Amino acid sequence: MSDSRELWIIDLGLIDYDEAHRFQRAAARLRIRGDIAQDLLILCEHPRVVTTGRATKAGNLLASAEILAEQNVLLRDVERGGDVTVHEPGQLVGYPIIDLKRHHQDLHWYLRQIEESLIVALGEWSLDTSRRAGQTGVWIADRKLASIGVHARDWVTSHGFALNAHNDLQTFNWIVPCGIAGVTMTSVERECTAIGVIPPNAPQLRDSVARAFSGVFALSARTASPDVPRTVHAEMLEMASNAR
């Protein structure tokens, strides 16, 4: 195995939220144990799901679990930070499994690095995005493009970001996104179209995000296959399966 500092890119495609959750938790455990020697960036998209985090406030979920179920929207309470958010098809979701002991043991620094990675990636498509003081995420003017909520154990991260790419944003009607009243959610497709730029397709956007993450974290990007040892990939799948 290479001694270089790498970022292994694992693309799970469209995957059930619960399965991806088990997968990333298994990956984080392997990273903590040292069985995975490099940092990971797991990319995927999910069927419609609303997730609540540790900072979710009463009233920010606008629909009951029963109403969401009638609309074929899952509801999951998870261990990440942040308030309520949404995943839906067409959104690019990223779960970085990063050992901050190799970088900087500061979660605020880490959140800014995620924001910077997305800002750099979106800059490839002429989108002038930015941060907003006191509100974690990525914005374009007063519209929000990406939500971020993370978890860490033994300084190894999990959970991550949700970047609105080609999704129709309808699922956001069931929540107060990230607890920000009156916020306007937008997408890469909408913002590119507004400035006369052809929006990136899903593979192009994934590549931009992978490049940006590897650059911002000063890592060498490698795709999951064939560069990531298949035994490691298989063990994560096995651990995820056994956790059901």
Side-chain angles (χ1 to χ4, degrees):
M1 185 176 297
S2 172
D3 292 330
S4 65
R5 289 161 58 92
E6 297 175 347
L7 181 68
W8 291 346
I9 311 299
I10 298 177
D11 186 355
L12 297 180
L14 179 64
I15 184 172
D16 176 78
Y17 182 83
D18 291 338
E19 184 176 356
H21 188 212
R22 289 189 293 266
F23 187 93
Q24 66 160 312
R25 292 184 68 176
R29 289 194 296 270
L30 287 169
R31 187 74 179 100
I32 290 168
R33 281 177 7 200
D35 294 339
I36 297 176
Q38 304 290 349
D39 294 330
L40 311 176
L41 176 60
I42 301 168
L43 297 174
C44 61
E45 61 180 285
H46 299 305
R48 295 199 300 170
V49 56
V50 169
T51 70
T52 55
R54 295 193 306 271
T56 298
K57 296 179 178 61
N60 288 340
L61 180 62
L62 303 179
S64 67
E66 291 74 20
I67 290 175
L68 292 175
E70 289 173 2
Q71 301 297 320
N72 295 316
V73 180
L74 293 178
L75 176 62
R76 295 292 183 263
D77 184 51
V78 293
E79 66 274 16
R80 62 165 174 79
D83 209 300
V84 61
T85 195
V86 151
H87 301 307
E88 60 183 2
Q91 186 186 66
L92 178 62
V93 178
Y95 300 125
I97 311 297
I98 304 287
D99 187 349
L100 293 180
K101 295 187 295 293
R102 300 180 71 192
H103 299 273
H104 189 52
Q105 292 175 231
D106 183 330
L107 284 177
H108 293 288
W109 172 89
Y110 175 61
L111 290 169
R112 304 293 83 77
Q113 295 295 96
I114 295 177
E115 290 169 341
E116 182 65 17
S117 298
L118 296 176
I119 289 169
V120 169
L122 294 170
E124 293 188 10
W125 302 96
S126 301
L127 294 181
D128 185 16
T129 58
S130 62
R131 300 176 178 84
R132 177 174 284 192
Q135 296 179 332
T136 298
V138 175
W139 301 73
I140 184 162
D142 61 348
R143 303 176 296 281
K144 195 170 189 183
L145 265 174
S147 303
I148 299 170
V150 304
H151 177 69
R153 179 170 172 260
D154 294 339
W155 291 109
V156 171
T157 68
S158 57
H159 293 277
F161 67 87
L163 173 61
N164 297 324
H166 301 277
N167 43 318
D168 62 18
L169 306 173
Q170 291 302 305
T171 314
F172 285 96
N173 293 334
W174 300 108
I175 69 170
V176 177
C178 299
I180 305 172
V183 67
T184 298
M185 303 301 291
T186 189
S187 68
V188 173
E189 183 175 44
R190 287 186 182 185
E191 297 300 331
C192 283
T193 300
I195 61 173
V197 172
I198 297 174
N201 60 32
Q204 288 172 329
L205 187 59
R206 286 195 301 268
D207 288 347
S208 292
V209 168
R211 276 194 301 272
F213 262 84
S214 61
V216 167
F217 283 91
L219 300 170
S220 175
R222 295 292 189 94
T223 57
S225 178
D227 298 297
V228 173
R230 292 185 180 276
T231 54
V232 172
H233 195 268
E235 184 173 359
M236 280 192 287
L237 287 171
E238 182 180 355
M239 289 181 70
S241 178
N242 291 339
R244 294 180 182 179

Short mmCIF file of all heavy atoms in Angstrom, two decimals, residues 159-215:
data_model
loop_
_atom_site.label_atom_id
_atom_site.label_comp_id
_atom_site.label_asym_id
_atom_site.label_seq_id
_atom_site.Cartn_x
_atom_site.Cartn_y
_atom_site.Cartn_z
N HIS A 159 -20.71 11.43 8.49
CA HIS A 159 -21.72 12.34 7.95
C HIS A 159 -21.01 13.37 7.08
O HIS A 159 -19.90 13.12 6.62
CB HIS A 159 -22.58 12.93 9.07
CG HIS A 159 -23.42 11.88 9.73
ND1 HIS A 159 -24.63 11.46 9.22
CD2 HIS A 159 -23.19 11.12 10.85
CE1 HIS A 159 -25.13 10.51 10.00
NE2 HIS A 159 -24.28 10.28 10.97
N GLY A 160 -21.61 14.52 6.79
CA GLY A 160 -20.92 15.42 5.88
C GLY A 160 -21.80 16.47 5.26
O GLY A 160 -22.36 17.31 5.95
N PHE A 161 -21.97 16.40 3.92
CA PHE A 161 -22.66 17.48 3.22
C PHE A 161 -23.72 16.95 2.27
O PHE A 161 -23.68 15.80 1.84
CB PHE A 161 -21.66 18.34 2.43
CG PHE A 161 -21.00 17.62 1.28
CD1 PHE A 161 -21.60 17.58 0.02
CD2 PHE A 161 -19.78 16.98 1.45
CE1 PHE A 161 -21.00 16.91 -1.03
CE2 PHE A 161 -19.17 16.31 0.39
CZ PHE A 161 -19.79 16.27 -0.85
N ALA A 162 -24.67 17.84 1.96
CA ALA A 162 -25.69 17.56 0.95
C ALA A 162 -25.72 18.76 0.01
O ALA A 162 -26.08 19.87 0.42
CB ALA A 162 -27.05 17.34 1.59
N LEU A 163 -25.30 18.54 -1.22
CA LEU A 163 -25.22 19.60 -2.23
C LEU A 163 -26.38 19.44 -3.20
O LEU A 163 -26.50 18.42 -3.89
CB LEU A 163 -23.89 19.51 -2.97
CG LEU A 163 -23.70 20.44 -4.18
CD1 LEU A 163 -23.79 21.90 -3.77
CD2 LEU A 163 -22.36 20.14 -4.86
N ASN A 164 -27.24 20.45 -3.27
CA ASN A 164 -28.37 20.42 -4.20
C ASN A 164 -27.83 20.57 -5.62
O ASN A 164 -27.27 21.61 -5.96
CB ASN A 164 -29.36 21.52 -3.89
CG ASN A 164 -29.99 21.36 -2.52
OD1 ASN A 164 -30.24 20.25 -2.07
ND2 ASN A 164 -30.22 22.48 -1.84
N ALA A 165 -28.03 19.55 -6.42
CA ALA A 165 -27.48 19.53 -7.78
C ALA A 165 -28.59 19.64 -8.81
O ALA A 165 -28.80 20.69 -9.42
CB ALA A 165 -26.65 18.27 -8.00
N HIS A 166 -29.33 18.54 -9.01
CA HIS A 166 -30.42 18.52 -9.99
C HIS A 166 -31.76 18.19 -9.33
O HIS A 166 -32.74 17.93 -10.03
CB HIS A 166 -30.12 17.49 -11.08
CG HIS A 166 -28.84 17.75 -11.81
ND1 HIS A 166 -28.75 18.62 -12.86
CD2 HIS A 166 -27.59 17.27 -11.61
CE1 HIS A 166 -27.50 18.66 -13.30
NE2 HIS A 166 -26.79 17.86 -12.56
N ASN A 167 -31.80 18.18 -8.01
CA ASN A 167 -33.04 17.85 -7.32
C ASN A 167 -34.08 18.96 -7.46
O ASN A 167 -33.73 20.14 -7.65
CB ASN A 167 -32.79 17.53 -5.84
CG ASN A 167 -31.83 18.48 -5.16
OD1 ASN A 167 -30.81 18.87 -5.74
ND2 ASN A 167 -32.14 18.86 -3.94
N ASP A 168 -35.36 18.58 -7.33
CA ASP A 168 -36.43 19.57 -7.54
C ASP A 168 -36.75 20.36 -6.28
O ASP A 168 -37.57 21.29 -6.33
CB ASP A 168 -37.69 18.90 -8.09
CG ASP A 168 -38.30 17.86 -7.15
OD1 ASP A 168 -37.97 17.87 -5.93
OD2 ASP A 168 -39.10 17.05 -7.62
N LEU A 169 -36.14 20.00 -5.15
CA LEU A 169 -36.23 20.75 -3.88
C LEU A 169 -37.60 20.64 -3.21
O LEU A 169 -37.84 21.30 -2.18
CB LEU A 169 -35.88 22.23 -4.09
CG LEU A 169 -34.53 22.51 -4.77
CD1 LEU A 169 -34.38 24.00 -5.07
CD2 LEU A 169 -33.37 22.03 -3.89
N GLN A 170 -38.49 19.80 -3.73
CA GLN A 170 -39.84 19.73 -3.17
C GLN A 170 -39.86 19.18 -1.75
O GLN A 170 -40.71 19.58 -0.93
CB GLN A 170 -40.73 18.87 -4.08
CG GLN A 170 -41.03 19.51 -5.42
CD GLN A 170 -41.70 20.86 -5.28
OE1 GLN A 170 -42.72 21.00 -4.62
NE2 GLN A 170 -41.10 21.88 -5.89
N THR A 171 -38.96 18.27 -1.42
CA THR A 171 -38.97 17.67 -0.08
C THR A 171 -38.69 18.70 1.00
O THR A 171 -39.10 18.53 2.15
CB THR A 171 -37.95 16.52 -0.02
OG1 THR A 171 -38.08 15.70 -1.19
CG2 THR A 171 -38.19 15.62 1.20
N PHE A 172 -38.01 19.79 0.65
CA PHE A 172 -37.72 20.83 1.63
C PHE A 172 -38.99 21.52 2.14
O PHE A 172 -38.95 22.21 3.17
CB PHE A 172 -36.77 21.88 1.03
CG PHE A 172 -35.35 21.42 0.92
CD1 PHE A 172 -34.87 20.89 -0.27
CD2 PHE A 172 -34.50 21.49 2.01
CE1 PHE A 172 -33.55 20.46 -0.38
CE2 PHE A 172 -33.18 21.06 1.91
CZ PHE A 172 -32.71 20.54 0.71
N ASN A 173 -40.11 21.34 1.45
CA ASN A 173 -41.36 21.94 1.90
C ASN A 173 -41.84 21.37 3.23
O ASN A 173 -42.68 21.98 3.91
CB ASN A 173 -42.46 21.74 0.85
CG ASN A 173 -42.19 22.52 -0.43
OD1 ASN A 173 -41.50 23.53 -0.41
ND2 ASN A 173 -42.71 22.03 -1.54
N TRP A 174 -41.30 20.22 3.62
CA TRP A 174 -41.74 19.56 4.85
C TRP A 174 -40.94 19.99 6.07
O TRP A 174 -41.22 19.53 7.17
CB TRP A 174 -41.65 18.04 4.69
CG TRP A 174 -42.49 17.49 3.57
CD1 TRP A 174 -42.04 17.00 2.38
CD2 TRP A 174 -43.91 17.38 3.52
NE1 TRP A 174 -43.09 16.60 1.59
CE2 TRP A 174 -44.25 16.82 2.28
CE3 TRP A 174 -44.92 17.72 4.42
CZ2 TRP A 174 -45.57 16.58 1.91
CZ3 TRP A 174 -46.24 17.49 4.05
CH2 TRP A 174 -46.55 16.92 2.81
N ILE A 175 -39.94 20.87 5.88
CA ILE A 175 -39.07 21.24 7.01
C ILE A 175 -38.75 22.75 6.96
O ILE A 175 -39.04 23.42 5.97
CB ILE A 175 -37.73 20.45 6.97
CG1 ILE A 175 -36.87 20.90 5.77
CG2 ILE A 175 -37.98 18.95 6.94
CD1 ILE A 175 -35.44 20.36 5.80
N VAL A 176 -38.16 23.23 8.07
CA VAL A 176 -37.47 24.51 8.07
C VAL A 176 -36.00 24.17 7.86
O VAL A 176 -35.33 23.72 8.79
CB VAL A 176 -37.68 25.26 9.40
CG1 VAL A 176 -36.89 26.58 9.40
CG2 VAL A 176 -39.15 25.51 9.66
N PRO A 177 -35.48 24.32 6.65
CA PRO A 177 -34.14 23.79 6.34
C PRO A 177 -33.06 24.33 7.27
O PRO A 177 -32.88 25.54 7.40
CB PRO A 177 -33.91 24.25 4.89
CG PRO A 177 -35.29 24.43 4.33
CD PRO A 177 -36.10 24.95 5.48
N CYS A 178 -32.39 23.40 7.95
CA CYS A 178 -31.30 23.73 8.87
C CYS A 178 -31.77 24.69 9.97
O CYS A 178 -30.95 25.36 10.60
CB CYS A 178 -30.10 24.31 8.13
SG CYS A 178 -29.40 23.16 6.93
N GLY A 179 -33.08 24.75 10.18
CA GLY A 179 -33.62 25.63 11.21
C GLY A 179 -33.58 27.10 10.86
O GLY A 179 -33.75 27.95 11.74
N ILE A 180 -33.40 27.45 9.58
CA ILE A 180 -33.29 28.85 9.15
C ILE A 180 -34.63 29.27 8.54
O ILE A 180 -34.94 28.93 7.40
CB ILE A 180 -32.15 29.04 8.14
CG1 ILE A 180 -30.83 28.51 8.72
CG2 ILE A 180 -32.02 30.51 7.77
CD1 ILE A 180 -29.70 28.47 7.71
N ALA A 181 -35.41 30.01 9.30
CA ALA A 181 -36.73 30.42 8.83
C ALA A 181 -36.61 31.31 7.60
O ALA A 181 -35.79 32.22 7.55
CB ALA A 181 -37.47 31.15 9.94
N GLY A 182 -37.43 31.01 6.59
CA GLY A 182 -37.49 31.83 5.40
C GLY A 182 -36.37 31.62 4.40
O GLY A 182 -36.30 32.32 3.39
N VAL A 183 -35.49 30.66 4.65
CA VAL A 183 -34.37 30.43 3.74
C VAL A 183 -34.87 29.93 2.39
O VAL A 183 -35.85 29.18 2.31
CB VAL A 183 -33.36 29.43 4.34
CG1 VAL A 183 -33.97 28.04 4.44
CG2 VAL A 183 -32.08 29.38 3.51
N THR A 184 -34.22 30.37 1.34
CA THR A 184 -34.51 29.88 -0.01
C THR A 184 -33.45 28.86 -0.40
O THR A 184 -32.26 29.18 -0.43
CB THR A 184 -34.50 31.04 -1.03
OG1 THR A 184 -35.52 31.98 -0.69
CG2 THR A 184 -34.73 30.52 -2.44
N MET A 185 -33.89 27.63 -0.66
CA MET A 185 -32.98 26.59 -1.12
C MET A 185 -32.89 26.66 -2.64
O MET A 185 -33.89 26.90 -3.32
CB MET A 185 -33.46 25.21 -0.68
CG MET A 185 -33.63 25.06 0.83
SD MET A 185 -32.11 25.37 1.77
CE MET A 185 -31.12 23.93 1.30
N THR A 186 -31.72 26.43 -3.17
CA THR A 186 -31.53 26.46 -4.60
C THR A 186 -30.67 25.27 -5.02
O THR A 186 -30.28 24.46 -4.18
CB THR A 186 -30.89 27.80 -5.04
OG1 THR A 186 -30.92 27.88 -6.48
CG2 THR A 186 -29.46 27.94 -4.55
N SER A 187 -30.37 25.15 -6.30
CA SER A 187 -29.62 24.01 -6.81
C SER A 187 -28.57 24.48 -7.81
O SER A 187 -28.66 25.57 -8.38
CB SER A 187 -30.55 23.00 -7.48
OG SER A 187 -31.09 23.53 -8.67
N VAL A 188 -27.59 23.63 -8.04
CA VAL A 188 -26.57 23.90 -9.04
C VAL A 188 -27.22 24.11 -10.41
O VAL A 188 -26.87 25.03 -11.16
CB VAL A 188 -25.54 22.77 -9.09
CG1 VAL A 188 -24.56 22.96 -10.25
CG2 VAL A 188 -24.78 22.68 -7.76
N GLU A 189 -28.17 23.27 -10.74
CA GLU A 189 -28.84 23.37 -12.04
C GLU A 189 -29.52 24.72 -12.20
O GLU A 189 -29.37 25.39 -13.23
CB GLU A 189 -29.86 22.25 -12.19
CG GLU A 189 -30.56 22.23 -13.54
CD GLU A 189 -31.48 21.04 -13.68
OE1 GLU A 189 -32.22 20.73 -12.73
OE2 GLU A 189 -31.44 20.40 -14.76
N ARG A 190 -30.26 25.15 -11.19
CA ARG A 190 -30.97 26.43 -11.27
C ARG A 190 -29.99 27.59 -11.41
O ARG A 190 -30.20 28.52 -12.21
CB ARG A 190 -31.83 26.64 -10.03
CG ARG A 190 -33.06 25.76 -9.97
CD ARG A 190 -33.94 26.13 -8.79
NE ARG A 190 -35.10 25.25 -8.71
CZ ARG A 190 -36.09 25.40 -7.83
NH1 ARG A 190 -36.06 26.42 -6.97
NH2 ARG A 190 -37.11 24.57 -7.82
N GLU A 191 -28.93 27.57 -10.61
CA GLU A 191 -28.01 28.70 -10.59
C GLU A 191 -27.17 28.76 -11.86
O GLU A 191 -26.88 29.85 -12.37
CB GLU A 191 -27.13 28.64 -9.35
CG GLU A 191 -27.90 28.77 -8.04
CD GLU A 191 -28.66 30.07 -7.91
OE1 GLU A 191 -28.22 31.08 -8.50
OE2 GLU A 191 -29.71 30.08 -7.22
N CYS A 192 -26.76 27.62 -12.39
CA CYS A 192 -26.03 27.61 -13.66
C CYS A 192 -26.93 28.13 -14.80
O CYS A 192 -26.50 28.95 -15.62
CB CYS A 192 -25.53 26.22 -13.98
SG CYS A 192 -24.06 25.72 -13.05
N THR A 193 -28.15 27.65 -14.83
CA THR A 193 -29.08 28.07 -15.88
C THR A 193 -29.31 29.58 -15.82
O THR A 193 -29.40 30.25 -16.86
CB THR A 193 -30.41 27.32 -15.73
OG1 THR A 193 -30.17 25.90 -15.84
CG2 THR A 193 -31.41 27.74 -16.79
N ALA A 194 -29.39 30.12 -14.60
CA ALA A 194 -29.65 31.55 -14.44
C ALA A 194 -28.55 32.42 -15.02
O ALA A 194 -28.80 33.56 -15.43
CB ALA A 194 -29.86 31.88 -12.96
N ILE A 195 -27.31 31.90 -15.05
CA ILE A 195 -26.20 32.71 -15.58
C ILE A 195 -25.77 32.23 -16.97
O ILE A 195 -24.74 32.65 -17.49
CB ILE A 195 -24.99 32.69 -14.62
CG1 ILE A 195 -24.45 31.28 -14.41
CG2 ILE A 195 -25.35 33.35 -13.29
CD1 ILE A 195 -23.16 31.23 -13.60
N GLY A 196 -26.55 31.34 -17.56
CA GLY A 196 -26.28 30.90 -18.93
C GLY A 196 -25.16 29.89 -19.05
O GLY A 196 -24.55 29.76 -20.12
N VAL A 197 -24.91 29.14 -17.99
CA VAL A 197 -23.89 28.09 -17.99
C VAL A 197 -24.58 26.74 -18.04
O VAL A 197 -25.56 26.51 -17.32
CB VAL A 197 -22.98 28.19 -16.74
CG1 VAL A 197 -22.04 26.99 -16.64
CG2 VAL A 197 -22.20 29.50 -16.77
N ILE A 198 -24.08 25.84 -18.88
CA ILE A 198 -24.63 24.48 -18.92
C ILE A 198 -24.30 23.78 -17.61
O ILE A 198 -23.12 23.68 -17.24
CB ILE A 198 -24.06 23.69 -20.11
CG1 ILE A 198 -24.46 24.35 -21.43
CG2 ILE A 198 -24.55 22.23 -20.07
CD1 ILE A 198 -23.83 23.71 -22.65
N PRO A 199 -25.30 23.30 -16.88
CA PRO A 199 -25.02 22.68 -15.58
C PRO A 199 -24.21 21.40 -15.74
O PRO A 199 -24.37 20.67 -16.74
CB PRO A 199 -26.41 22.38 -15.02
CG PRO A 199 -27.36 23.20 -15.83
CD PRO A 199 -26.74 23.35 -17.18
N PRO A 200 -23.36 21.08 -14.78
CA PRO A 200 -22.64 19.81 -14.84
C PRO A 200 -23.61 18.66 -14.66
O PRO A 200 -24.58 18.76 -13.90
CB PRO A 200 -21.67 19.90 -13.66
CG PRO A 200 -22.33 20.84 -12.70
CD PRO A 200 -23.05 21.84 -13.55
N ASN A 201 -23.33 17.56 -15.36
CA ASN A 201 -24.12 16.36 -15.08
C ASN A 201 -23.58 15.72 -13.80
O ASN A 201 -22.58 16.20 -13.21
CB ASN A 201 -24.11 15.39 -16.26
CG ASN A 201 -22.72 14.91 -16.63
OD1 ASN A 201 -21.83 14.78 -15.78
ND2 ASN A 201 -22.50 14.64 -17.91
N ALA A 202 -24.23 14.66 -13.34
CA ALA A 202 -23.86 14.07 -12.04
C ALA A 202 -22.40 13.61 -12.00
O ALA A 202 -21.69 13.93 -11.04
CB ALA A 202 -24.81 12.92 -11.70
N PRO A 203 -21.89 12.88 -13.00
CA PRO A 203 -20.47 12.47 -12.94
C PRO A 203 -19.52 13.67 -12.96
O PRO A 203 -18.49 13.65 -12.26
CB PRO A 203 -20.30 11.60 -14.19
CG PRO A 203 -21.67 11.10 -14.52
CD PRO A 203 -22.58 12.23 -14.14
N GLN A 204 -19.84 14.70 -13.73
CA GLN A 204 -18.97 15.87 -13.78
C GLN A 204 -18.92 16.57 -12.42
O GLN A 204 -17.85 16.98 -11.96
CB GLN A 204 -19.47 16.85 -14.84
CG GLN A 204 -19.25 16.38 -16.27
CD GLN A 204 -19.95 17.29 -17.28
OE1 GLN A 204 -21.00 17.87 -17.01
NE2 GLN A 204 -19.36 17.39 -18.47
N LEU A 205 -20.06 16.69 -11.77
CA LEU A 205 -20.08 17.35 -10.47
C LEU A 205 -19.35 16.52 -9.42
O LEU A 205 -18.61 17.07 -8.60
CB LEU A 205 -21.53 17.60 -10.04
CG LEU A 205 -21.71 18.43 -8.76
CD1 LEU A 205 -21.07 19.81 -8.91
CD2 LEU A 205 -23.18 18.55 -8.40
N ARG A 206 -19.53 15.19 -9.46
CA ARG A 206 -18.80 14.33 -8.52
C ARG A 206 -17.30 14.49 -8.71
O ARG A 206 -16.54 14.57 -7.72
CB ARG A 206 -19.20 12.86 -8.73
CG ARG A 206 -20.58 12.52 -8.21
CD ARG A 206 -20.76 11.01 -8.10
NE ARG A 206 -20.59 10.34 -9.38
CZ ARG A 206 -21.57 10.07 -10.22
NH1 ARG A 206 -22.81 10.43 -9.93
NH2 ARG A 206 -21.35 9.45 -11.35
N ASP A 207 -16.85 14.55 -9.95
CA ASP A 207 -15.42 14.72 -10.22
C ASP A 207 -14.91 16.06 -9.69
O ASP A 207 -13.81 16.14 -9.13
CB ASP A 207 -15.13 14.60 -11.71
CG ASP A 207 -15.28 13.18 -12.24
OD1 ASP A 207 -15.36 12.25 -11.42
OD2 ASP A 207 -15.34 13.01 -13.48
N SER A 208 -15.69 17.12 -9.89
CA SER A 208 -15.29 18.44 -9.39
C SER A 208 -15.16 18.42 -7.87
O SER A 208 -14.20 18.97 -7.31
CB SER A 208 -16.31 19.50 -9.81
OG SER A 208 -16.30 19.71 -11.20
N VAL A 209 -16.13 17.82 -7.20
CA VAL A 209 -16.10 17.77 -5.74
C VAL A 209 -14.93 16.92 -5.24
O VAL A 209 -14.23 17.30 -4.30
CB VAL A 209 -17.45 17.23 -5.20
CG1 VAL A 209 -17.35 16.90 -3.71
CG2 VAL A 209 -18.55 18.27 -5.43
N ALA A 210 -14.68 15.78 -5.88
CA ALA A 210 -13.55 14.94 -5.48
C ALA A 210 -12.22 15.67 -5.65
O ALA A 210 -11.34 15.61 -4.78
CB ALA A 210 -13.56 13.64 -6.29
N ARG A 211 -12.06 16.37 -6.77
CA ARG A 211 -10.83 17.14 -7.00
C ARG A 211 -10.66 18.21 -5.93
O ARG A 211 -9.56 18.42 -5.39
CB ARG A 211 -10.86 17.80 -8.38
CG ARG A 211 -10.42 16.91 -9.51
CD ARG A 211 -10.15 17.72 -10.77
NE ARG A 211 -11.32 18.47 -11.22
CZ ARG A 211 -12.25 17.97 -12.03
NH1 ARG A 211 -12.15 16.73 -12.47
NH2 ARG A 211 -13.29 18.71 -12.40
N ALA A 212 -11.75 18.92 -5.65
CA ALA A 212 -11.66 20.01 -4.69
C ALA A 212 -11.34 19.51 -3.29
O ALA A 212 -10.50 20.10 -2.59
CB ALA A 212 -12.97 20.80 -4.69
N PHE A 213 -11.99 18.42 -2.87
CA PHE A 213 -11.70 17.87 -1.54
C PHE A 213 -10.24 17.44 -1.44
O PHE A 213 -9.57 17.72 -0.43
CB PHE A 213 -12.62 16.69 -1.25
CG PHE A 213 -13.80 17.05 -0.40
CD1 PHE A 213 -14.94 17.59 -0.98
CD2 PHE A 213 -13.79 16.87 0.96
CE1 PHE A 213 -16.03 17.95 -0.22
CE2 PHE A 213 -14.88 17.22 1.75
CZ PHE A 213 -16.01 17.76 1.15
N SER A 214 -9.75 16.75 -2.44
CA SER A 214 -8.36 16.29 -2.37
C SER A 214 -7.41 17.48 -2.33
O SER A 214 -6.41 17.47 -1.58
CB SER A 214 -8.04 15.37 -3.54
OG SER A 214 -8.19 16.04 -4.78
N GLY A 215 -7.71 18.54 -3.08
CA GLY A 215 -6.85 19.71 -3.07
C GLY A 215 -6.88 20.45 -1.76
O GLY A 215 -5.84 20.81 -1.20
#
